[in-house]
Amino acid sequence: MSWQAYVDDHLMCEIDGQHLSAAAILGHDGSVWAQSEKFPQYKLEEITAIMIDFNEPGTLAPTGLYLGGTKYMVIQGEPGAVIRGKKGSGGITIKKTSLALIIGIYDEPMAPGQCNMIVERLGDYLLDQGF
């Protein structure tokens, strides 16, 4: 299965009539493995800051998480494994695997828990597959 198929079929899938607004699978170096059409144009520094937070949990909390110039308030996650952010009625979930970052962005009416489930389930599967 191609990385794009993982984005299209697993991350952008419909759950209870809801979809993520954007999703991507990126390498730890910020390279794009696959992304949805509306995934924001991000800066390498934003991915570097996310990777630092995975290695030193809590570094993003004071300043916020930025992706594509959008600032998210960092909320509870799993140190070293999952970072979650909130912005208004939407938010972001980032799951780190051995080689990749699985990123899902959502807006209402999707609930944060639905986004978490979609992103983390694919991340756990890829971890089990050695990615």
Side-chain angles (χ1 to χ4, degrees):
M1 183 181 285
S2 74
W3 291 113
Q4 192 61 51
Y6 280 111
V7 170
D8 297 341
D9 301 341
H10 296 282
L11 293 174
M12 297 303 291
C13 65
E14 182 177 308
I15 293 208
D16 299 330
Q18 309 304 322
H19 295 269
L20 292 173
S21 8
I25 301 174
L26 307 179
H28 287 181
D29 61 357
S31 60
V32 176
W33 291 13
Q35 65 184 22
S36 66
E37 189 180 322
K38 295 183 179 166
F39 194 76
Q41 184 67 45
Y42 58 88
K43 296 184 178 119
L44 193 53
E45 305 87 73
E46 295 171 330
I47 302 304
T48 301
I50 290 166
M51 287 303 296
I52 289 170
D53 193 81
F54 276 121
N55 295 326
E56 302 167 36
T59 57
L60 285 178
T63 58
L65 181 161
Y66 286 86
L67 188 71
T70 300
K71 180 180 179 179
Y72 297 90
M73 178 180 69
V74 177
I75 54 176
Q76 95 293 345
E78 296 168 31
V82 179
I83 298 172
R84 298 184 186 110
K86 189 97 174 97
K87 177 177 175 41
S89 59
I92 188 168
T93 302
I94 305 171
K95 170 78 176 185
K96 180 179 178 248
T97 70
S98 306
L99 302 173
L101 298 175
I102 316 301
I103 303 174
I105 300 172
Y106 69 93
D107 287 303
E108 273 192 331
M110 179 172 262
Q114 291 171 308
C115 178
N116 297 342
M117 185 175 69
I118 292 167
V119 171
E120 293 173 38
R121 189 168 50 194
L122 179 59
D124 290 340
Y125 170 77
L126 292 175
L127 272 168
D128 288 345
Q129 300 304 307
F131 292 105

